[in-house]
Every structure is written in C-alpha cells, then in structure tokens.
Amino acid sequence: MADEVILLDFWPSPFGLRARISLAEKGVEYEYKDEDLSNKSPLLLKSNPIHKKIPVLIHNGKSICESLVIVQYINEVWKDKPLMPEDPYERAQARFWADFVDKKLYDCGTRIWRSKGEAQDAAKKEFIDCLKLLEGELGDKPFYGGKNLGYVDVVLVPFACWFYTYETDGNFSIENECPKIIAWVKRCMEKESVSKALPDPHKVYELVGFLKKKHGVE
Ligand SMILES: N[C@@H](CCC(=O)N[C@@H](CS)C(=O)NCC(=O)O)C(=O)O
Ligand SMILES: *[C@@H]1O[C@H](CO)[C@@H](O)[C@H](O)[C@H]1NC(C)=O
C-alpha cells in the first residue's frame, strides 16, 4: 500500500517550507493542508497537542512535529538524495548551523519587522551579523550540503522569501551586505524543489502588513 503523507502547514511559514522542500527533493507525494492559525483545525490540535503549531507531518497516521525533526525524519524514511552528510562530525556541524538559524536568524528577522527605531536598528545589525557568519560557513561551496542541497540549505533557504520584508521594513539591502548569501539563494532557486515551494515575497510582505496590525506595530 502506498504511503499516506499529509502536511499541515501555513503557506509563508519558513518552518513549513523546510518540510515542503525536503518532500520535493525526495519526490514524495503528499496532501497539503493549509491551516488558518487563528482557527486551528481539530486535526492540527490533535496531532500537535503540545505546541499546536504547524508544520506537522502525518505519515500513515503518525504525526511528527517540529520542522527540524520533520526534515530529519523525511531524510531517514526516504533515502534518495541524502540531505545529511555521512561523516558524524560533519553531521554535527550541519545540526549546529540549523540550530543557529533557529536560535538567532529567525529571531533577529522577526524583530526587524516587529520593531521600530533603535530596537529595529539593533535587530538589523544582528541579522546582518548572523548572515555574515552563515556566509563564512558556506565558504566557496555552492551549497551548504556541498555539490547539492543539504540539511542547512533546506533549513535556511525558506527565509529568502522573507528577505524582501526585512529589507523593506528595515530599509537595507541584504545583497549589499551579504552578496554571497544572495548568490547562494539564486543557486537554490534554480532547483525546482525550492523555486516551486517559495511563495512570492510580495505576498509575504502583504501578510506581514496584517500581522503588524495584529501585533500593534505602527
Ligand atoms: N519550532 C517550530 C516553529 C513552528 C512555528 O513557529 N509555527 C508557527 C507558524 S510559522 C505556528 O504554527 N504558530 C501558531 C501558534 O503559535 O499559535 C518548528 O520548527 O516547527
Ligand atoms: C533608508 O536608507 C537610505 C540609505 O542608507 C537613507 O538615505 C534613507 O534616509 C533611509 N530612509 C529611511 C526612511 O530611514
């Protein structure tokens, strides 16, 4: 019997996009369910009772939560096009940088659009510092995974559709600050698994306009 794969997601979510890109890389067919996060479905509440967040991958009735866990699960179940390096040390490094993206980059990016004035300037500076560290880690490789997309690529590239929002709200150019990151994004976008998954950055910006009202920014 064929696998039943369902993804509970929300279209602009960088976390959900990690799952979508991984599934596309592996050529896994699945049912996509977009959640209304202000009115979560009973299925979401049942399958992620702890955090009640998307993404959730439901594989043959079993749910897997947390995007980094989901990407690793997908990589272990569908073995084609491995996303993780073979070497344990390199694997540890990949996990380290994925954790860095979640702990630092996501937080600074969000603070750029949620704040103003000095707080926003500080967030912007921290964000650029994070991207510079990530540029250093990329080095001269085409992808974090080497010749092909790997774990860190899949974890980081979803934020590219948020770059326009950060740049517009923060009044800065990521390309001026971190040209190697932008060149890497362009290489990732040559992969269908990425270009077909990432939503239009202008649509993300529009959504952020609504979110700002909700969070009382402006
Ligand atoms: N650490 C989680 C983060 C997921 C997350 O923040 N999901 C957000 C959407 S981007 C969510 O579902 N928020 C709904 C809520 O917090 O009520 C992951 O990596 O999966
Ligand atoms: C945006 O940045 C430019 C160049 O750094 C600067 O000249 C301009 O005054 C800034 N605009 C705002 C609204 O801060």
Side-chain angles (χ1 to χ4, degrees), residues 7-218:
L7 182 68
L8 309 184
D9 204 342
F10 177 47
W11 63 270
S13 170
F15 307 105
L17 279 161
R18 293 168 173 175
R20 278 175 266 165
I21 295 168
S22 305
L23 290 166
E25 273 292 299
K26 302 284 186 171
V28 179
E29 284 190 33
Y30 63 100
E31 187 185 343
Y32 178 87
K33 291 193 179 186
D34 207 63
E35 285 283 335
D36 172 357
L37 295 179
S38 58
N39 182 21
K40 296 172 186 172
S41 74
L43 183 59
L44 174 58
L45 298 175
K46 189 184 93 180
S47 40
N48 189 354
I50 308 291
H51 297 300
K52 304 176 178 68
K53 288 184 178 184
I54 58 89
V56 179
L57 185 77
I58 309 176
H59 183 203
N60 296 331
K62 289 184 193 161
S63 49
I64 301 104
C65 303
E66 284 295 312
S67 62
L68 297 181
V69 177
I70 293 173
V71 173
Q72 296 189 47
Y73 178 84
I74 291 169
N75 188 48
E76 287 170 18
V77 172
W78 292 280
K79 305 222 185 282
D80 253 20
K81 296 210 198 169
L83 294 169
M84 277 287 186
E86 278 287 310
D87 177 69
Y89 180 73
E90 282 176 31
R91 223 157 46 220
Q93 292 309 104
R95 291 191 179 115
F96 172 86
W97 286 106
D99 181 63
F100 175 81
V101 170
D102 275 12
K103 287 204 179 101
K104 299 285 292 182
L105 189 81
Y106 171 65
D107 173 63
C108 300
T110 306
R111 275 159 46 216
I112 295 177
W113 66 260
R114 276 203 196 173
S115 62
K116 289 259 164 238
E118 275 177 30
Q120 188 182 50
D121 288 342
K124 202 159 79 176
K125 187 184 171 303
E126 275 183 61
F127 180 82
I128 293 164
D129 289 346
C130 286
L131 277 187
K132 289 203 165 136
L133 289 168
L134 284 159
E135 274 190 328
E137 172 57 19
L138 180 65
D140 295 322
K141 300 190 292 287
F143 299 104
Y144 289 90
K147 281 192 216 118
N148 278 304
L149 287 190
Y151 184 58
V152 178
D153 299 284
V154 166
V155 166
L156 178 60
V157 78
F159 290 94
C161 66
W162 283 77
F163 282 3
Y164 175 74
T165 295
Y166 304 150
E167 288 178 314
T168 309
D169 280 351
N171 187 32
F172 71 119
S173 154
I174 296 175
E175 183 148 36
N176 285 351
E177 307 284 347
C178 306
K180 282 173 78 176
I181 284 290
I182 297 301
W184 163 81
V185 168
K186 288 182 181 151
R187 280 195 293 279
C188 291
M189 289 295 266
E190 286 168 14
K191 308 265 182 198
E192 246 186 36
S193 59
V194 177
S195 59
K196 281 196 167 166
L198 260 53
D200 177 356
H202 295 90
K203 272 185 67 188
V204 174
Y205 185 66
E206 212 175 284
L207 171 85
V208 168
F210 294 113
L211 291 180
K212 272 194 232 167
K213 287 205 185 92
K214 192 172 136 195
H215 292 287
V217 184
E218 252 146 349

